[in-house]
Amino acid sequence: QVQLVESGGGLVQAGGSLRLSCAASGRTFSSYAMGWFRQVPGREREIVASVNSGGGSTHYADSVKGRFTISRDNAKSTMYLQMNTLKPEDTAVYYCAASTISWYRGTIKDFAYWGQGTQVTVSS
């Protein structure tokens, strides 16, 4: 079992920045890939970014490339999402998730553990 707790969401003006954190406990943090997803009402949950178990390989959705940076600190069992140049369309509930394998294969189905979500609202 893995328990995930997100923090760092909030309200920010367009062009601003936020940093999300995801603290993990339970299974060995360094053994599995992690990801950030987001969801708005009426739409499917979508991948924002993922990082492999060692932290050396990352993947980003096209909509956030160049603006968001995912990272992880395995010593602290914590993952981060630095979000810069935020846009109103980034408004969503952001979830962190832990995969069952060590790398991202392009499917949400590999992510078995989820946090409770944190709201990010970007005003125009």
Side-chain angles (χ1 to χ4, degrees):
Q1 284 290 335
V2 177
Q3 293 77 45
L4 303 170
V5 179
E6 303 101 333
S7 60
L11 173 65
V12 64
Q13 288 188 331
S17 298
L18 282 175
R19 189 194 196 201
L20 305 183
S21 298
C22 174
S25 61
R27 196 158 54 97
T28 305
F29 182 74
S30 60
S31 66
Y32 46 87
M34 297 286 294
W36 286 101
F37 292 77
R38 65 187 182 187
Q39 189 170 24
V40 297
R43 297 180 63 179
E44 291 188 356
R45 193 168 296 186
E46 62 176 6
I47 183 77
V48 175
S50 67
V51 59
N52 72 337
S53 59
S57 179
T58 57
H59 164 85
Y60 294 94
D62 288 343
S63 58
V64 306
K65 281 180 181 177
R67 301 187 298 121
F68 291 11
T69 302
I70 189 171
S71 62
R72 64 190 294 164
D73 185 337
N74 285 347
K76 296 182 178 180
S77 298
T78 303
M79 176 180 65
Y80 306 96
L81 184 68
Q82 178 66 44
M83 304 186 293
N84 298 329
T85 319
L86 282 160
K87 304 175 181 180
E89 51 263 44
D90 294 318
T91 296
V93 177
Y94 283 70
Y95 298 89
C96 78
S99 177
T100 56
I101 60 174
S102 61
W103 72 97
Y104 176 58
R105 296 192 296 185
T107 172
I108 192 174
K109 296 179 181 179
D110 283 340
F111 291 85
Y113 306 99
W114 295 84
Q116 81 286 354
T118 185
Q119 177 71 46
V120 171
T121 302
V122 184
S123 63
S124 57

